[in-house]
Amino acid sequence: MLIKRPKGTQDILPSVVNKWKAVEETVSQAAEQFGFREIRTPVFEETGLYVRSVGDTSDVVTKEMYTVSSKGDDTFTLRPEGTAGVIRAMLENGIMNEGFPRKVYYIIPCYRHEKPQAGRYREFRQFGVEMAGSASPYADAEIILLAATVLDGCGLENVELHLNSIGCPECREKYRSALREYFEPHKDELCPTCNERLGKNPMRLLDCKSPICKEIAKDAPIITDYLCDGCREHFEKLRKILDGYEIKYILDPKIVRGLDYYTRTVFEFISNGIGAQGTVCGGGRYDGLISELGGQPTPALGFGMGLERLILTMESEGCEFPPAKTPDLYIAPMGERAQEKAALLCDAVRRAGYAAEFDIIGRGLKPQMRYADKIKAKFVCVLGDNELDSGEAKLKNMRTGDEKAFKLEEFIGEFHNLLIEELFGTGLGDALADSIGDLPANTVPPETNGRN
Ligand code: ATP
Ligand code: MG
């Protein structure tokens, strides 16, 4: 019996990998435009890192972690989110001492033991950014603008930004008491998790997905009525900056975010097109996290964007993905002598920077042509004894069916010009050749290998 992949995981097959590459390219380009540099950290970390940062009342820590004990005493957890590991790495490697603001981004797989459903997996991929060292609302705006730029760059039009401020520990103290007072009379109707949370962390109740808790929470007091002067001013300034960028947002007091470490600004980008798991991106400010993890108190913020949900949203909105790359050339040899020549030609074509294949099975012409069709080769060159003896062969443009004869010893140059014409239109090959000077036309494919 075949072994199946674990529940809640996905195989990203060659036929759809172009979508992933396009999205990864879009997000990294945008991040780099905003001055973020990529960071790569381990897939697993000491469990304590997540307990300390994500918080011991969060769903992620209480229910969703994949924890393994190793041969020693330590226990390790597969990364459920990116922030904790990245902040750990920045502190451990002294990156925080290199001057502020520090800005990093990452594209990573994350692991959470959740109930698999559309848009919710046990292994999923996240694009995330973290910025350390600025308490200014301009930093919050930069992060939000970056997320909006990415979504825009992906072609999305129906994603809403929901914005809230959850204040600082001081404003939250008063707010928590108000929430407890509000929920206390409904205690027995709440789901067991929320019932338990009421004492420890009542703000979590606002984040619960159970319909009953949602209904009860509808008229709960809202945090923005409890903000201290500093937090209120920060929020007002942020909104003014976003208005300046003409970024539309919905003030949503129910956005509290699932992780314990957030302060002040929190936000989510929500898509209406992909069902219940519509939050494509969530983030905010976490001014307390860096000191919690043993660093100097440093204001910081960031977001995580679920790439599966991003791609699902793009598909639901009919966004276009760039097509997968296809080989530039397929060489179809007939017989052993031709195969030897095909191998060398193919090598020369690849070294000139093109994607090329030749037959490595020893099949007849018909199955070879079927294969060339299937891999969508742009050009095909059939090589047999006749071609080898005369020193002349034909390159066939598979889209138009046009064939052009050429001297084998001028292969690379001929191929180069034909390909440029195919890609950029007639005449351009010559124009380009003129403007760049001598293209590798008339290059003789090396018979012996002289790699440098
Ligand atoms: P949700 O409320 O949907 O559970 P979350 O608040 O737990 O999300 P975050 O921890 O903020 O999510 O993670 C950031 C982003 O990662 C989410 O907005 C979402 O796009 C994505 N994400 C989170 N969990 C999953 C999952 N199990 N499968 C796929 N994507 C996920
Ligand atoms: Mg979750």
Side-chain angles (χ1 to χ4, degrees):
M1 220 177 53
L2 289 176
I3 295 174
K4 300 231 170 90
R5 65 173 180 268
K7 215 167 128 184
T9 65
Q10 300 188 97
D11 298 312
I12 299 172
L13 301 176
S15 54
V16 299
V17 122
N18 65 310
K19 295 184 177 180
W20 283 87
K21 284 195 164 181
V23 163
E24 286 160 5
E25 180 67 22
T26 305
V27 305
S28 348
Q29 250 183 30
E32 278 164 27
Q33 236 190 337
F34 278 70
F36 290 74
R37 309 228 353 242
E38 190 178 352
I39 186 165
R40 302 186 185 193
T41 63
V43 168
F44 61 93
E45 296 273 358
E46 274 186 31
T47 302
L49 175 69
Y50 298 115
V51 177
R52 232 156 95 184
S53 60
V54 179
D56 55 8
T57 59
S58 66
D59 277 354
V60 168
V61 166
T62 53
K63 303 185 207 157
E64 300 171 1
M65 290 201 300
Y66 280 99
T67 296
V68 291
S69 49
S70 73
K71 294 209 168 95
D73 294 324
D74 297 332
T75 71
F76 295 103
T77 293
L78 293 185
R79 163 172 72 200
E81 56 92 48
T83 304
V86 164
I87 297 298
R88 195 260 322 130
M90 289 170 83
L91 289 171
E92 186 170 343
N93 297 287
I95 293 178
M96 297 292 185
N97 308 328
E98 291 170 13
F100 288 135
R102 289 254 65 85
K103 302 188 270 188
V104 295
Y105 79 94
Y106 46 86
I107 300 170
I108 53 168
C110 296
Y111 302 84
R112 295 185 191 178
H113 195 277
E114 300 205 69
K115 193 164 158 252
Q117 50 198 291
R120 189 175 294 286
Y121 313 96
R122 291 182 172 174
E123 181 188 63
F124 63 97
R125 285 142 197 95
Q126 231 184 45
F127 159 58
V129 309
E130 316 294 344
M131 182 197 282
S134 173
S136 158
Y138 276 100
D140 305 53
E142 281 280 285
I143 295 282
I144 292 172
L145 186 61
L146 170 54
T149 302
V150 164
L151 298 173
D152 198 48
C154 287
L156 296 179
E157 284 170 1
N158 299 310
V159 179
E160 286 172 347
L161 166 60
H162 290 231
L163 186 67
N164 192 21
S165 169
I166 56 169
C168 59
E170 281 95 81
C171 359
R172 251 180 292 177
E173 207 40 57
K174 275 187 286 166
Y175 180 56
R176 284 208 177 107
S177 321
L179 277 182
R180 275 196 202 100
E181 218 164 278
Y182 173 84
F183 281 111
E184 199 56 52
H186 303 282
K187 197 166 190 289
D188 299 331
E189 301 156 59
L190 297 170
C191 75
T193 318
C194 282
N195 197 315
E196 202 179 301
R197 282 166 173 164
L198 188 54
K200 276 202 230 164
N201 194 348
M203 279 172 74
R204 274 288 146 64
L205 271 66
L206 303 176
D207 205 26
C208 182
K209 292 184 176 80
S210 128
I212 298 169
C213 298
K214 266 191 174 160
E215 183 58 34
I216 299 172
K218 246 168 71 185
D219 298 316
I222 59 175
I223 177 78
T224 25
D225 290 341
Y226 291 79
L227 296 182
C228 66
D229 287 348
C231 289
R232 190 162 0 90
E233 276 161 30
H234 184 95
F235 196 40
E236 276 166 12
K237 179 70 185 173
L238 168 63
R239 291 173 53 187
K240 219 165 139 192
I241 302 167
L242 292 179
D243 290 342
Y245 289 139
E246 295 183 0
I247 291 188
K248 291 200 184 65
Y249 55 83
I250 296 164
L251 288 179
D252 185 347
K254 292 280 168 346
I255 301 278
V256 292
R257 308 288 307 128
L259 312 178
D260 269 350
Y261 48 59
Y262 286 102
T263 49
R264 292 193 165 173
T265 313
V266 286
F267 62 88
E268 289 186 2
F269 284 85
I270 302 175
S271 154
N272 294 317
I274 56 169
Q277 321 306 329
T279 304
V280 175
C281 174
R285 181 172 276 287
Y286 47 85
D287 289 347
L289 179 66
I290 294 181
S291 54
E292 182 62 37
L293 290 178
Q296 295 294 323
T298 310
L301 62 170
F303 66 70
M305 190 179 282
L307 295 183
E308 285 80 3
R309 289 188 197 176
L310 177 61
I311 291 175
L312 283 172
T313 307
M314 290 172 72
E315 287 167 344
S316 83
E317 290 197 19
C319 298
E320 296 218 357
F321 294 91
K325 282 200 180 122
T326 58
D328 300 310
L329 175 68
Y330 179 77
I331 307 176
M334 312 273 294
E336 210 178 310
R337 218 176 116 217
Q339 198 178 26
E340 276 169 22
K341 181 74 180 173
L344 294 178
L345 277 180
C346 194
D347 177 48
V349 171
R350 287 173 183 159
R351 281 201 271 157
Y354 305 112
E357 290 182 47
F358 68 104
D359 175 64
I360 47 170
I361 293 182
R363 286 184 287 202
L365 188 58
K366 247 194 182 161
Q368 286 203 52
M369 293 310 284
R370 269 202 301 274
Y371 178 78
D373 259 343
K374 198 171 140 206
I375 62 172
K376 299 197 172 79
K378 295 185 192 75
F379 287 87
V380 168
C381 173
V382 178
L383 277 188
D385 286 341
N386 284 347
E387 283 76 14
L388 295 186
D389 292 342
S390 67
E392 258 191 36
K394 282 180 188 153
L395 271 165
K396 180 172 177 181
N397 181 324
M398 296 296 277
R399 186 180 59 82
T400 61
D402 291 350
E403 289 191 314
K404 191 170 179 217
F406 63 96
K407 287 204 175 66
L408 270 181
E409 58 182 31
E410 291 169 1
F411 189 89
I412 297 287
E414 285 290 343
F415 178 62
H416 178 91
N417 287 341
L418 279 180
L419 190 66
I420 287 193
E421 280 193 2
E422 171 61 16
L423 295 178
F424 302 106
T426 318
L428 228 128
D430 295 339
L432 259 182
D434 288 346
S435 68
I436 307 174
D438 267 346
L439 285 168
N442 305 325
T443 313
V444 182
E447 295 292 336
T448 54
N449 266 352
R451 289 175 197 281
N452 37 25

